[in-house]
């Protein structure tokens, strides 16, 4: 009797079929556990939500088993099996882009938490789990050569698949959810499923090894898949009523958190005036609602490398997370003098610390004095209310920043326009840095980019085009680069030093920056 594992399928292909059974089993159970991270912000973490998740997976697997068996009897083709896995995996890769909108729509239309959680689970999970559930009966049909071996083959496929489910359940709950966000996990599951599906496409051609190796080489995760923002927190903020959400008294500030439609605003109250410190778009993590924040990202064009980035001043963390999402190889350290601001940014804006995204409490100048690490890019946006502390405006401080730049590095500063302090700041920067480019926002700020050597415009344009093509910045760098302004005429202003720094007085004195001597 012929004991080959399957008709027309060699032993290596059988191994791949069992391996794919393990992968699909792991994906299904991992996705079930992950489903709680999608539903909990909208429907809570009670028994109704878990009942909806479990029931949805069981319903989808039931449909998948019936459909997979019927389809396999009609066409026992590895290609058809591969396509079911590929389609389910593509759905998982696309899910983070529309899950929030679906959940908000269901939440708005269904008041009952039981019905809402069940409908949401079905909408998000039924389609991919059904497709992946088709795998086991279909694989059994491909592997089955003789009815005498049906029990052994069926048991092996379901056993391997269940083993994958165990790994998926424990791996997701014990390791993945505490380590990375739901978006990153979902994309990882989709990527592994896609690899398995494309490898199955090679079965009829019996050229598995080269295909699998090529797929593994292409499976390098996108840096933006790493979740730098807790989407659950932002979803919770979107559920809050428009208006004041929190007032936090810290050691340094009165911090106010306010929701304005889809925007979350952090402001400080200084001498009775509210100063906006940061604005985040809760519906779009890649957006920078404030013009100056958009303009500051033009500084990424200037350094030769972008591996180590330091930011002084946090607010709600919009700029640092934006850079982290679009520069997946960069390690970003943000230093904020007020620990309460860091806590507020994590609790309300959903900032997450990772290996490459670090938040440190401390004074920016003290940090630079105590740490000799060099950075490719240093960003300064350390405002307290409407002003920068004087010790972060002096020639000595700018010299320290210059010393902490790596060769070919750049520093960028957010400078308020329209007062005497602006002229002194620009003149002081020019005393320290040989090259200084200015980018006015038109809304009261000028972004100053400083380097140790001037860069010609052609070089900057070439770098901007290259970075934009490689990373797809939300605010295109070539367009931002076009906003560069001509250098001001020689400024009649004082150089600010540690010994002479009347910054608070200059800040309120208006001055015509263009006047002649």
């Amino acid at each position: 009797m012929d004991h080959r594992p399957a008709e027309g399928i060699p032993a290596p292909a059988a191994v791949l079929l069992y391996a794919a059974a393990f992968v699909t089993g792991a994906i299904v159970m991992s996705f079930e556990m992950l489903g709680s991270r999608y539903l909990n912000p909208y429907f809570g973490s009670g028994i109704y939500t878990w009942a909806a998740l479990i029931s949805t997976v069981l319903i989808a697997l039931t449909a998948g088993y019936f459909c997979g068996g019927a389809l396999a009897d009609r066409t026992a083709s590895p290609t058809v099996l591969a396509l079911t896995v590929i389609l389910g995996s593509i759905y998982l890769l696309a899910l983070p882009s529309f899950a929030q909108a679906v959940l908000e729509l269901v939440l708005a239309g269904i008041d009952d938490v039981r019905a809402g959680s069940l409908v949401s689970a079905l909408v998000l999970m039924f389609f991919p789990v059904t497709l992946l559930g088709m795998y086991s009966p279909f694989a059994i049909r491909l592997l089955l050569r003789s009815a005498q071996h049906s029990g052994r083959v069926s048991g092996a496929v379901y056993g391997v698949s269940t083993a994958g489910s165990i790994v998926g359940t424990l791996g997701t709950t014990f390791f993945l959810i505490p380590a990375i966000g739901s978006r990153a996990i979902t994309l990882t599951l989709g990527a592994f499923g896609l690899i398995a599906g494309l490898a199955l496409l090679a079965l009829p051609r019996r050229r598995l090894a080269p295909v699998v190796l090529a797929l593994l080489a292409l499976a390098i995760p996108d840096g933006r898949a790493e979740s730098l923002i807790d989407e659950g927190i932002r979803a919770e903020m979107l559920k809050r009523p428009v208006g004041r959400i929190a007032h936090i008294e810290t050691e340094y500030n009165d911090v106010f958190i306010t929701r304005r439609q889809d925007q979350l605003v952090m402001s400080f109250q200084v001498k009775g005036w509210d100063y906006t410190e940061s604005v985040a778009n809760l519906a779009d993590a890649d957006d920078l609602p404030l013009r100056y924040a958009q303009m500051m990202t033009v500084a990424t064009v200037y350094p030769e490398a972008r591996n180590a980035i330091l930011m002084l001043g946090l607010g709600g963390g919009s700029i640092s997370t934006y850079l982290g999402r679009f520069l997946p190889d960069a390690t970003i350290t943000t230093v904020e003098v007020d620990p309460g601001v860091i806590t507020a940014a994590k609790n309300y804006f959903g900032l997450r610390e990772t290996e490459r995204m670090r938040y440190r409490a401390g004074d920016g100048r003290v940090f630079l004095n105590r740490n000799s690490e060099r950075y490719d890019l240093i960003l300064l946006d350390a405002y307290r209310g409407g002003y920068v502390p004087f010790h972060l405006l002096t020639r000595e401080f700018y010299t320290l920043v210059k010393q902490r730049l790596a060769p070919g590095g750049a520093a960028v500063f957010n400078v308020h326009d329209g007062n005497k302090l602006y002229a002194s700041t620009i003149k002081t920067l020019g005393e320290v840095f040989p090259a200084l480019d200015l980018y006015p926002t038109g809304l009261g700020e000028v972004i100053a980019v400083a380097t140790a050597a001037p860069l010609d415009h052609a070089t900057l344009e070439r770098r901007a085009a290259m970075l934009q093509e490689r990373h797809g910045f939300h605010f295109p760098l070539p367009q931002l680069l076009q906003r560069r302004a001509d250098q001001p005429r020689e400024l009649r202003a004082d150089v600010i030093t540690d010994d002479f720094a009347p910054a608070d007085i200059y800040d309120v004195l208006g001055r015509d920056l263009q006047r002649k001597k």
Side-chain angles (χ1 to χ4, degrees), residues 312-336:
L312 305 182
L314 174 65
S318 299
I319 297 174
S320 56
T321 53
Y322 178 91
L323 295 178
R325 289 168 68 82
F326 287 98
L327 295 174
D329 297 326
T331 297
I332 302 175
T333 302
T334 303
V335 180
E336 165 59 49

Side-chain angles (χ1 to χ4, degrees), residues 236-492:
E236 177 63 29
M237 291 300 104
L238 275 172
K239 293 165 60 178
R240 299 286 189 92
V242 172
R244 179 68 48 78
I245 291 177
H247 171 204
I248 306 157
E249 295 184 13
T250 73
E251 182 180 354
Y252 294 89
N253 299 288
D254 275 316
V255 181
F256 295 90
I257 309 297
T258 306
R259 181 189 165 195
R260 300 175 185 167
Q261 302 306 324
D262 288 344
Q263 293 184 348
L264 192 66
V265 180
M266 175 185 287
S267 59
F268 295 170
Q269 190 172 82
V270 181
K271 298 179 182 179
W273 293 87
D274 281 341
Y275 290 92
T276 297
E277 295 292 324
S278 189
V279 180
N281 186 338
L282 297 172
D284 185 356
D286 291 337
D287 187 24
L288 291 173
L290 295 179
R291 179 80 62 80
Y292 90 89
Q294 302 169 17
M295 193 62 66
M296 284 194 82
T297 65
V298 76
T300 57
V301 175
Y302 283 75
E304 294 179 1
R306 296 148 203 89
N307 298 319
I309 297 176
L310 174 67
M311 181 152 193
L312 305 182
L314 174 65
S318 299
I319 297 174
S320 56
T321 53
Y322 178 91
L323 295 178
R325 289 168 68 82
F326 287 98
L327 295 174
D329 297 326
T331 297
I332 302 175
T333 302
T334 303
V335 180
E336 165 59 49
V337 69
D338 190 346
V341 170
I342 298 177
T343 301
K346 290 180 178 180
N347 291 342
Y348 295 95
F349 289 76
L351 301 195
R352 296 183 67 252
E353 288 205 51
T354 68
E355 281 190 19
R356 66 183 191 88
M357 183 66 68
R358 308 160 184 164
Y359 300 101
R360 301 288 182 263
D363 181 274
R365 183 161 176 174
V366 173
F367 180 88
L368 288 175
N369 274 319
R370 292 181 176 178
N371 296 272
S372 58
E373 183 177 349
R374 299 290 190 95
Y375 297 92
D376 300 307
L377 179 61
I378 298 178
L379 304 97
L380 181 70
D381 186 31
Y383 278 83
R384 287 190 61 194
Y387 65 93
V388 177
F390 85 90
H391 67 295
L392 302 182
L393 288 169
T394 66
R395 180 173 57 195
E396 290 81 358
F397 171 69
Y398 294 148
T399 300
L400 178 60
V401 170
K402 183 180 177 183
Q403 291 169 351
R404 294 295 181 263
L405 288 177
V412 58
F413 307 85
N414 176 23
V415 185
H416 279 187
D417 196 356
N419 53 29
K420 186 175 181 179
L421 181 59
Y422 169 77
S424 289
T425 301
I426 297 303
K427 185 168 185 177
T428 306
L429 282 169
E431 288 270 321
V432 176
F433 292 95
L436 188 66
D437 286 347
L438 304 179
Y439 292 86
T441 67
L443 297 174
E445 306 99 352
V446 173
I447 304 306
V449 185
T451 55
L455 294 170
D456 63 84
H457 197 63
T459 299
L460 293 174
E461 287 182 332
R462 185 168 59 253
R463 287 185 183 177
M466 179 270 293
L467 289 170
Q468 187 62 38
E469 181 178 0
R470 178 182 300 175
H471 299 296
F473 284 87
H474 188 74
F475 296 97
L477 295 175
Q479 294 181 20
L480 296 177
L481 196 65
Q482 299 306 313
R483 297 185 64 89
R484 186 171 65 165
D486 294 333
Q487 289 286 351
R489 301 174 186 177
E490 183 177 351
L491 295 170
R492 297 179 61 185

Side-chain angles (χ1 to χ4, degrees), residues 17 21 29 37 66 102 105 112 115 128 146 180 182 193 280 336 362 428 467 478 515:
L17 285 168
M29 287 308 299
R37 310 298 286 188
F66 278 110
V102 169
L105 183 64
D112 184 72
S146 167
I180 59 177
S182 56
E336 165 59 49
T428 306
L467 289 170
R515 71 181 182 181

